[in-house]
Every structure is written in C-alpha cells, then in structure tokens.
Amino acid sequence: MSVRVRRVYDPPESDDGVRVLVDRLWPRGIKKEAARVDEWPKGLTPSTELRRWYHAGEGSYEEFARRYEAELAEPEAAELLDGLRGRVRKGPVTLLTSAKDPERSHAAVLVGLLESASR
C-alpha cells in the first residue's frame, strides 16, 4: 500500500499516483491545472462545523480525530472511504491538503484509517 500526504501547493511528482484533494474548499491561490487533482471527494472531508471547531482552537487534535472518524463512519463518507481504499490497493495515492501542518490534520487521520485497513 502506498499512500502519502502532500501539500497541494507542492509541485506534482512523477510517483504521486492518483492525486486526491481532501479539503472541502478549493485551496487559495492555486489554479486547477497546476494542482493536477484527479479526484475531489468533498463528502470525505470534515464537516464545516468540525473544521471550524478545530481551527478555533477549542479542542485537541486527538478529540478532532475522534470526531472526524465518527463522521467518516456515516454512510456517505464510509462509502467514499471504501472507494479510496480501493484506489490505494491498486497503486500509489497522494492525499492533497492545504493544511499548514498536514501531520496534525484530517489528512493524517485518513492515512491512519487507510493504513489500519490494509493490515
């Protein structure tokens, strides 16, 4: 399994595989052609309420991750997550985010879920 997280502002690399934008909003200052996004499953992203709660500094990353995982268990998101797992089984996938700290973002939660499903 090959899944990694990169900032959408970084230039595409030849080994990115399928490039999946995992942000609900299109990143500022980047043109769609430059981002080379193959998929944009908005239903797989944290809800607006959860995103605002976390960015307001009201809770810990661990609590954010727990709440986001609960959102991902909902039927629509679970179906999209299963589809992403299928993509990962077929080849490399790069999750793209505009988060300044991808290791403490929703993208890292997704990687954790994708990696735990492949064990």
Side-chain angles (χ1 to χ4, degrees), residues 21-55:
L21 180 63
V22 293
D23 290 349
R24 186 167 297 267
L25 305 173
W26 187 262
R28 292 181 186 189
I30 190 165
K31 294 184 179 189
K32 291 187 179 185
E33 302 79 38
R36 268 200 36 229
V37 170
D38 297 310
E39 295 180 19
W40 187 15
K42 294 179 191 175
L44 197 58
T45 63
S47 66
T48 299
E49 297 79 19
L50 180 58
R51 187 173 42 81
R52 287 180 179 159
W53 173 84
Y54 182 54
H55 292 295

Tab-separated table of all heavy atoms in Angstrom, residues 21-55:
chain	number	residue	atom	x	y	z
A	21	LEU	N	-7.638	15.454	-3.679
A	21	LEU	CA	-7.774	16.616	-2.803
A	21	LEU	C	-8.739	16.260	-1.685
A	21	LEU	O	-9.871	15.830	-1.948
A	21	LEU	CB	-8.295	17.830	-3.580
A	21	LEU	CG	-8.478	19.110	-2.769
A	21	LEU	CD1	-7.151	19.608	-2.210
A	21	LEU	CD2	-9.136	20.187	-3.619
A	22	VAL	N	-8.310	16.393	-0.443
A	22	VAL	CA	-9.131	16.006	0.703
A	22	VAL	C	-9.559	17.216	1.532
A	22	VAL	O	-9.862	17.081	2.711
A	22	VAL	CB	-8.437	14.930	1.575
A	22	VAL	CG1	-8.314	13.622	0.815
A	22	VAL	CG2	-7.080	15.396	2.075
A	23	ASP	N	-9.595	18.381	0.919
A	23	ASP	CA	-10.104	19.598	1.562
A	23	ASP	C	-11.494	19.895	1.025
A	23	ASP	O	-11.769	19.664	-0.151
A	23	ASP	CB	-9.196	20.800	1.269
A	23	ASP	CG	-7.850	20.715	1.967
A	23	ASP	OD1	-7.676	19.847	2.843
A	23	ASP	OD2	-6.974	21.527	1.630
A	24	ARG	N	-12.352	20.434	1.871
A	24	ARG	CA	-13.712	20.781	1.441
A	24	ARG	C	-13.717	21.991	0.517
A	24	ARG	O	-14.503	22.073	-0.414
A	24	ARG	CB	-14.601	21.047	2.650
A	24	ARG	CG	-16.059	21.282	2.272
A	24	ARG	CD	-16.972	21.231	3.473
A	24	ARG	NE	-16.984	19.937	4.107
A	24	ARG	CZ	-17.852	18.957	3.856
A	24	ARG	NH1	-18.789	19.150	2.953
A	24	ARG	NH2	-17.778	17.821	4.498
A	25	LEU	N	-12.821	22.944	0.770
A	25	LEU	CA	-12.748	24.165	-0.027
A	25	LEU	C	-11.550	24.103	-0.964
A	25	LEU	O	-10.505	23.545	-0.602
A	25	LEU	CB	-12.611	25.389	0.890
A	25	LEU	CG	-13.698	25.547	1.955
A	25	LEU	CD1	-13.342	26.690	2.884
A	25	LEU	CD2	-15.051	25.750	1.315
A	26	TRP	N	-11.696	24.693	-2.146
A	26	TRP	CA	-10.565	24.740	-3.065
A	26	TRP	C	-9.483	25.624	-2.452
A	26	TRP	O	-9.764	26.697	-1.931
A	26	TRP	CB	-10.981	25.285	-4.436
A	26	TRP	CG	-9.846	25.166	-5.397
A	26	TRP	CD1	-8.964	26.139	-5.752
A	26	TRP	CD2	-9.418	23.981	-6.070
A	26	TRP	NE1	-8.010	25.635	-6.611
A	26	TRP	CE2	-8.274	24.304	-6.825
A	26	TRP	CE3	-9.886	22.671	-6.105
A	26	TRP	CZ2	-7.603	23.378	-7.608
A	26	TRP	CZ3	-9.219	21.753	-6.893
A	26	TRP	CH2	-8.094	22.105	-7.622
A	27	PRO	N	-8.223	25.195	-2.489
A	27	PRO	CA	-7.132	25.966	-1.881
A	27	PRO	C	-6.932	27.322	-2.567
A	27	PRO	O	-7.002	27.419	-3.796
A	27	PRO	CB	-5.908	25.078	-2.057
A	27	PRO	CG	-6.337	23.908	-2.854
A	27	PRO	CD	-7.794	23.962	-3.085
A	28	ARG	N	-6.670	28.304	-1.765
A	28	ARG	CA	-6.468	29.660	-2.290
A	28	ARG	C	-5.184	29.756	-3.101
A	28	ARG	O	-4.171	29.175	-2.758
A	28	ARG	CB	-6.375	30.656	-1.144
A	28	ARG	CG	-7.655	30.830	-0.400
A	28	ARG	CD	-7.480	31.833	0.693
A	28	ARG	NE	-8.694	31.897	1.497
A	28	ARG	CZ	-8.916	32.784	2.407
A	28	ARG	NH1	-8.022	33.699	2.678
A	28	ARG	NH2	-10.044	32.775	3.082
A	29	GLY	N	-5.274	30.532	-4.166
A	29	GLY	CA	-4.087	30.896	-4.918
A	29	GLY	C	-3.509	29.826	-5.825
A	29	GLY	O	-2.383	29.967	-6.287
A	30	ILE	N	-4.238	28.764	-6.077
A	30	ILE	CA	-3.709	27.726	-6.969
A	30	ILE	C	-4.751	27.407	-8.044
A	30	ILE	O	-5.927	27.242	-7.741
A	30	ILE	CB	-3.287	26.449	-6.202
A	30	ILE	CG1	-2.529	25.504	-7.118
A	30	ILE	CG2	-4.454	25.777	-5.557
A	30	ILE	CD1	-1.770	24.418	-6.405
A	31	LYS	N	-4.277	27.343	-9.255
A	31	LYS	CA	-5.171	27.031	-10.373
A	31	LYS	C	-5.368	25.522	-10.462
A	31	LYS	O	-4.473	24.747	-10.126
A	31	LYS	CB	-4.589	27.571	-11.673
A	31	LYS	CG	-4.534	29.079	-11.687
A	31	LYS	CD	-4.056	29.608	-13.010
A	31	LYS	CE	-4.064	31.129	-12.922
A	31	LYS	NZ	-3.832	31.758	-14.184
A	32	LYS	N	-6.526	25.132	-10.926
A	32	LYS	CA	-6.845	23.700	-11.008
A	32	LYS	C	-5.859	22.936	-11.877
A	32	LYS	O	-5.480	21.819	-11.557
A	32	LYS	CB	-8.272	23.511	-11.492
A	32	LYS	CG	-9.266	23.979	-10.450
A	32	LYS	CD	-10.679	23.673	-10.808
A	32	LYS	CE	-11.552	24.187	-9.668
A	32	LYS	NZ	-12.940	23.857	-9.827
A	33	GLU	N	-5.399	23.550	-12.949
A	33	GLU	CA	-4.442	22.879	-13.831
A	33	GLU	C	-3.114	22.629	-13.101
A	33	GLU	O	-2.486	21.585	-13.270
A	33	GLU	CB	-4.170	23.709	-15.086
A	33	GLU	CG	-5.387	24.023	-15.916
A	33	GLU	CD	-6.220	25.183	-15.357
A	33	GLU	OE1	-5.659	26.168	-14.851
A	33	GLU	OE2	-7.451	25.083	-15.429
A	34	ALA	N	-2.684	23.580	-12.299
A	34	ALA	CA	-1.410	23.451	-11.583
A	34	ALA	C	-1.489	22.402	-10.477
A	34	ALA	O	-0.493	21.749	-10.171
A	34	ALA	CB	-0.995	24.795	-10.999
A	35	ALA	N	-2.655	22.237	-9.887
A	35	ALA	CA	-2.806	21.284	-8.781
A	35	ALA	C	-2.825	19.837	-9.262
A	35	ALA	O	-2.507	18.922	-8.501
A	35	ALA	CB	-4.086	21.588	-8.013
A	36	ARG	N	-3.206	19.632	-10.513
A	36	ARG	CA	-3.304	18.276	-11.070
A	36	ARG	C	-4.057	17.323	-10.134
A	36	ARG	O	-3.562	16.268	-9.745
A	36	ARG	CB	-1.925	17.725	-11.395
A	36	ARG	CG	-1.503	18.006	-12.807
A	36	ARG	CD	-0.395	17.109	-13.331
A	36	ARG	NE	-0.452	15.737	-12.868
A	36	ARG	CZ	0.589	15.079	-12.351
A	36	ARG	NH1	1.754	15.669	-12.235
A	36	ARG	NH2	0.464	13.835	-11.969
A	37	VAL	N	-5.262	17.704	-9.771
A	37	VAL	CA	-6.113	16.888	-8.899
A	37	VAL	C	-6.897	15.900	-9.762
A	37	VAL	O	-7.544	16.296	-10.725
A	37	VAL	CB	-7.071	17.787	-8.084
A	37	VAL	CG1	-8.112	16.966	-7.360
A	37	VAL	CG2	-6.278	18.640	-7.102
A	38	ASP	N	-6.826	14.624	-9.395
A	38	ASP	CA	-7.569	13.595	-10.126
A	38	ASP	C	-8.967	13.390	-9.535
A	38	ASP	O	-9.907	13.074	-10.267
A	38	ASP	CB	-6.811	12.266	-10.092
A	38	ASP	CG	-5.467	12.356	-10.787
A	38	ASP	OD1	-5.421	12.842	-11.934
A	38	ASP	OD2	-4.456	11.970	-10.177
A	39	GLU	N	-9.085	13.525	-8.224
A	39	GLU	CA	-10.371	13.328	-7.545
A	39	GLU	C	-10.509	14.365	-6.432
A	39	GLU	O	-9.518	14.782	-5.835
A	39	GLU	CB	-10.464	11.929	-6.937
A	39	GLU	CG	-10.465	10.821	-7.955
A	39	GLU	CD	-10.563	9.441	-7.320
A	39	GLU	OE1	-10.987	9.334	-6.146
A	39	GLU	OE2	-10.195	8.473	-7.994
A	40	TRP	N	-11.773	14.724	-6.145
A	40	TRP	CA	-12.055	15.670	-5.075
A	40	TRP	C	-13.333	15.234	-4.360
A	40	TRP	O	-14.395	15.793	-4.581
A	40	TRP	CB	-12.183	17.072	-5.645
A	40	TRP	CG	-12.317	18.169	-4.633
A	40	TRP	CD1	-12.066	18.108	-3.295
A	40	TRP	CD2	-12.711	19.515	-4.891
A	40	TRP	NE1	-12.287	19.316	-2.705
A	40	TRP	CE2	-12.680	20.199	-3.667
A	40	TRP	CE3	-13.102	20.197	-6.034
A	40	TRP	CZ2	-13.027	21.552	-3.550
A	40	TRP	CZ3	-13.434	21.522	-5.925
A	40	TRP	CH2	-13.397	22.201	-4.704
A	41	PRO	N	-13.245	14.211	-3.509
A	41	PRO	CA	-14.425	13.698	-2.811
A	41	PRO	C	-14.780	14.561	-1.593
A	41	PRO	O	-14.370	14.277	-0.463
A	41	PRO	CB	-14.002	12.289	-2.404
A	41	PRO	CG	-12.518	12.392	-2.238
A	41	PRO	CD	-12.055	13.418	-3.241
A	42	LYS	N	-15.561	15.606	-1.814
A	42	LYS	CA	-15.878	16.557	-0.741
A	42	LYS	C	-16.584	15.884	0.436
A	42	LYS	O	-16.440	16.324	1.571
A	42	LYS	CB	-16.722	17.700	-1.289
A	42	LYS	CG	-15.981	18.564	-2.270
A	42	LYS	CD	-16.885	19.665	-2.787
A	42	LYS	CE	-16.245	20.367	-3.962
A	42	LYS	NZ	-17.138	21.354	-4.553
A	43	GLY	N	-17.325	14.822	0.179
A	43	GLY	CA	-18.020	14.125	1.255
A	43	GLY	C	-17.100	13.374	2.195
A	43	GLY	O	-17.538	12.842	3.213
A	44	LEU	N	-15.836	13.315	1.868
A	44	LEU	CA	-14.840	12.630	2.689
A	44	LEU	C	-14.119	13.610	3.622
A	44	LEU	O	-13.308	13.205	4.439
A	44	LEU	CB	-13.817	11.951	1.764
A	44	LEU	CG	-12.919	10.869	2.318
A	44	LEU	CD1	-13.740	9.731	2.896
A	44	LEU	CD2	-12.023	10.334	1.217
A	45	THR	N	-14.437	14.878	3.511
A	45	THR	CA	-13.750	15.906	4.289
A	45	THR	C	-14.496	16.177	5.591
A	45	THR	O	-15.686	15.863	5.705
A	45	THR	CB	-13.642	17.205	3.474
A	45	THR	OG1	-14.953	17.700	3.217
A	45	THR	CG2	-12.917	16.964	2.158
A	46	PRO	N	-13.826	16.749	6.577
A	46	PRO	CA	-14.524	17.082	7.824
A	46	PRO	C	-15.664	18.073	7.559
A	46	PRO	O	-15.571	18.921	6.673
A	46	PRO	CB	-13.442	17.740	8.685
A	46	PRO	CG	-12.153	17.342	8.079
A	46	PRO	CD	-12.411	17.113	6.627
A	47	SER	N	-16.714	17.960	8.347
A	47	SER	CA	-17.828	18.892	8.219
A	47	SER	C	-17.347	20.313	8.494
A	47	SER	O	-16.328	20.527	9.162
A	47	SER	CB	-18.941	18.533	9.200
A	47	SER	OG	-18.488	18.719	10.538
A	48	THR	N	-18.083	21.263	7.985
A	48	THR	CA	-17.744	22.674	8.214
A	48	THR	C	-17.706	22.963	9.713
A	48	THR	O	-16.803	23.655	10.193
A	48	THR	CB	-18.767	23.584	7.507
A	48	THR	OG1	-18.711	23.298	6.100
A	48	THR	CG2	-18.488	25.042	7.755
A	49	GLU	N	-18.667	22.429	10.455
A	49	GLU	CA	-18.722	22.669	11.894
A	49	GLU	C	-17.479	22.123	12.597
A	49	GLU	O	-16.882	22.796	13.437
A	49	GLU	CB	-19.984	22.040	12.504
A	49	GLU	CG	-21.273	22.629	11.990
A	49	GLU	CD	-21.690	22.113	10.604
A	49	GLU	OE1	-21.196	21.043	10.152
A	49	GLU	OE2	-22.492	22.803	9.963
A	50	LEU	N	-17.088	20.903	12.244
A	50	LEU	CA	-15.917	20.294	12.874
A	50	LEU	C	-14.648	21.049	12.503
A	50	LEU	O	-13.791	21.313	13.354
A	50	LEU	CB	-15.795	18.818	12.485
A	50	LEU	CG	-14.609	18.061	13.089
A	50	LEU	CD1	-14.648	18.107	14.621
A	50	LEU	CD2	-14.591	16.627	12.586
A	51	ARG	N	-14.541	21.408	11.255
A	51	ARG	CA	-13.363	22.147	10.795
A	51	ARG	C	-13.240	23.477	11.545
A	51	ARG	O	-12.168	23.828	12.040
A	51	ARG	CB	-13.472	22.364	9.284
A	51	ARG	CG	-12.262	22.967	8.641
A	51	ARG	CD	-12.392	22.994	7.117
A	51	ARG	NE	-13.692	23.384	6.610
A	51	ARG	CZ	-14.104	24.650	6.502
A	51	ARG	NH1	-13.317	25.628	6.855
A	51	ARG	NH2	-15.308	24.921	6.026
A	52	ARG	N	-14.345	24.199	11.650
A	52	ARG	CA	-14.321	25.488	12.364
A	52	ARG	C	-13.991	25.302	13.836
A	52	ARG	O	-13.250	26.084	14.422
A	52	ARG	CB	-15.655	26.203	12.202
A	52	ARG	CG	-15.839	26.766	10.815
A	52	ARG	CD	-17.156	27.473	10.670
A	52	ARG	NE	-17.300	28.022	9.324
A	52	ARG	CZ	-18.443	28.325	8.776
A	52	ARG	NH1	-19.572	28.185	9.448
A	52	ARG	NH2	-18.479	28.810	7.552
A	53	TRP	N	-14.567	24.270	14.449
A	53	TRP	CA	-14.308	23.987	15.859
A	53	TRP	C	-12.816	23.750	16.083
A	53	TRP	O	-12.217	24.326	16.988
A	53	TRP	CB	-15.120	22.754	16.288
A	53	TRP	CG	-14.807	22.260	17.662
A	53	TRP	CD1	-15.321	22.717	18.841
A	53	TRP	CD2	-13.906	21.202	18.009
A	53	TRP	NE1	-14.789	22.006	19.896
A	53	TRP	CE2	-13.918	21.075	19.408
A	53	TRP	CE3	-13.089	20.349	17.262
A	53	TRP	CZ2	-13.146	20.134	20.075
A	53	TRP	CZ3	-12.322	19.414	17.925
A	53	TRP	CH2	-12.359	19.310	19.323
A	54	TYR	N	-12.220	22.931	15.244
A	54	TYR	CA	-10.807	22.597	15.411
A	54	TYR	C	-9.915	23.809	15.162
A	54	TYR	O	-8.990	24.082	15.927
A	54	TYR	CB	-10.426	21.444	14.477
A	54	TYR	CG	-8.990	20.998	14.610
A	54	TYR	CD1	-8.458	20.631	15.845
A	54	TYR	CD2	-8.158	20.929	13.497
A	54	TYR	CE1	-7.151	20.208	15.961
A	54	TYR	CE2	-6.846	20.504	13.603
A	54	TYR	CZ	-6.343	20.148	14.841
A	54	TYR	OH	-5.043	19.734	14.956
A	55	HIS	N	-10.189	24.568	14.118
A	55	HIS	CA	-9.344	25.715	13.795
A	55	HIS	C	-9.522	26.872	14.766
A	55	HIS	O	-8.658	27.744	14.842
A	55	HIS	CB	-9.577	26.159	12.349
A	55	HIS	CG	-9.082	25.157	11.363
A	55	HIS	ND1	-7.750	24.836	11.228
A	55	HIS	CD2	-9.745	24.366	10.477
A	55	HIS	CE1	-7.604	23.905	10.303
A	55	HIS	NE2	-8.802	23.592	9.837
